[in-house]
């Protein structure tokens, strides 16, 4: 009896190891320049793009028309929302005009702390929060009701971007949504199934500034359709031909 139990346990262990190996080899299949990640960890764009495309808040460069919430601990009159001007400047009491465009949140916090320390406040505690990422824009094309270029106001998912574009039109293929993104200096694209995302069986990926979202038409014979049919897996970023 004990011998049979030991044999079954050994067999289960071997099967598990073979399954793990098969899964690992599957991730390596195809082009070495593919980028495969899912959900919130979906590959972010280059951080060096002209418009400040970002991987996270710490890498984001403040841009024109962004809305900032600036808080100075213990000084209510200095806590306010400030819109960055077209030249990248902001204006605050006790500080005056200050360059914010092109700086990270941490850099702007440091500059404000230094300014307020120069004869106004002792050891001020300044925090900067980006309330609206207005300088970030996404392009929505194809079978949506309102194609166009739209600002991203904070973290935005693919479902939200489609909604911003008015939703899918009557000819749209919800399984043929392509997201274009610059990754490591190369134009990459990934296909997503909107139906699966809505059902909750697939992650709703984050969309970044400078992304292009294209919804293909059902039954089309476009280059997008060829690409959609060629991808080995959904959510897999690969070079667009």
């Amino acid at each position: 009896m004990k011998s049979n139990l030991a044999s079954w346990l050994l067999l289960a262990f071997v099967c598990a190891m073979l399954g793990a190996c098969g899964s690992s080899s599957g991730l390596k299949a195809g082009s070495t320049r593919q980028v495969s990640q899912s959900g919130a960890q979906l590959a972010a764009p280059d951080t060096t793009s002209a418009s400040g495309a970002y991987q996270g808040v710490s890498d984001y460069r403040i841009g024109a028309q962004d809305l900032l919430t600036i808080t100075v601990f213990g000084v209510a009159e200095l806590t306010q929302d400030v819109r960055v001007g077209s030249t990248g400047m902001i204006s605050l009491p006790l500080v005056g005009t200050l360059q914010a465009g092109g700086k990270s949140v941490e850099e702007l916090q440091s500059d404000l702390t230094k300014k307020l320390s120069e004869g106004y406040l002792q050891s001020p505690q300044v925090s900067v929060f980006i309330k609206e990422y207005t300088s970030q824009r996404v392009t929505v094309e194809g079978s949506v009701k309102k194609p166009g270029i739209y600002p991203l106001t904070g973290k935005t998912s693919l479902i939200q971007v489609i909604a911003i574009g008015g939703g899918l039109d009557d000819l749209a293929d919800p399984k043929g949504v392509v997201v274009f993104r610059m990754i490591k200096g190369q134009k990459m694209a990934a296909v997503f199934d909107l139906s699966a995302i809505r059902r909750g069986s697939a992650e709703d990926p984050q969309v970044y500034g400078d992304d292009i979202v294209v919804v293909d038409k059902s039954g089309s014979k476009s280059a997008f359709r060829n690409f959609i049919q060629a991808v080995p897996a959904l959510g897999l970023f690969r070079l667009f031909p």
Side-chain angles (χ1 to χ4, degrees):
M1 185 72 174
K2 292 182 179 179
S3 177
N4 290 338
L5 178 60
S7 298
W8 277 110
L9 290 174
L10 178 61
L11 179 60
F13 175 77
V14 172
C15 290
M17 292 299 292
L18 289 173
C21 291
S23 175
S24 175
S25 62
L27 289 174
K28 296 178 182 178
S31 170
T32 57
R33 288 180 290 181
Q34 294 172 349
V35 182
S36 178
Q37 293 177 305
S38 63
Q41 297 180 346
L42 195 66
D46 298 338
T47 58
T48 55
S49 72
S51 65
Y54 56 99
Q55 283 185 309
V57 173
S58 62
D59 295 319
Y60 179 76
R61 295 288 165 175
I62 296 168
Q65 302 306 313
D66 282 356
L67 183 62
L68 312 178
T69 297
I70 298 176
T71 303
V72 181
F73 181 74
V75 188
E77 57 269 29
L78 293 181
T79 297
Q80 56 186 281
D81 289 347
V82 180
R83 180 78 66 179
V84 181
S86 59
T87 59
M89 307 297 287
I90 59 173
S91 181
L92 290 170
L94 302 182
V95 174
T97 303
L98 183 71
Q99 179 72 36
K103 295 182 178 180
S104 68
V105 166
E106 290 81 3
E107 289 170 345
L108 181 57
Q109 285 177 170
S110 178
D111 289 351
L112 288 170
T113 299
K114 182 179 179 181
K115 284 282 187 180
L116 291 171
S117 297
E118 295 174 348
Y120 300 110
L121 300 173
Q122 184 175 0
S123 302
Q125 298 180 39
V126 181
S127 65
V128 176
F129 172 74
I130 303 176
K131 193 172 183 178
E132 292 182 4
Y133 296 85
T134 313
S135 64
Q136 294 293 311
R137 286 174 167 77
V138 61
T139 301
V140 187
E141 298 181 350
S143 292
V144 292
K145 295 177 181 177
K146 297 179 180 179
I149 301 174
Y150 298 94
L152 295 179
T153 55
K155 289 186 177 180
T156 308
S157 71
L158 181 58
I159 286 284
Q160 291 172 324
V161 165
I162 297 298
I164 291 170
L168 303 181
D169 65 21
D170 295 337
L171 300 177
D173 176 8
K175 297 182 179 180
V177 180
V178 183
V179 176
F180 292 92
R181 180 174 298 168
M182 291 299 295
I183 301 174
K184 296 182 179 180
Q186 296 178 312
K187 186 177 182 180
M188 311 284 278
V191 179
F192 297 91
D193 182 348
L194 218 60
S195 298
I197 295 174
R198 286 170 173 165
R199 290 195 307 268
S201 58
E203 296 279 357
D204 188 7
Q206 182 177 345
V207 174
Y208 294 86
D210 291 338
D211 278 358
I212 299 174
V213 178
V214 180
V215 180
D216 199 27
K217 293 181 179 180
S218 297
S220 70
K221 297 181 180 180
S222 64
F224 297 117
R225 176 57 50 184
N226 295 334
F227 177 79
I228 291 168
Q229 293 174 341
V231 295
L234 296 176
L236 177 69
F237 271 90
R238 57 180 297 185
L239 287 174
F240 187 75

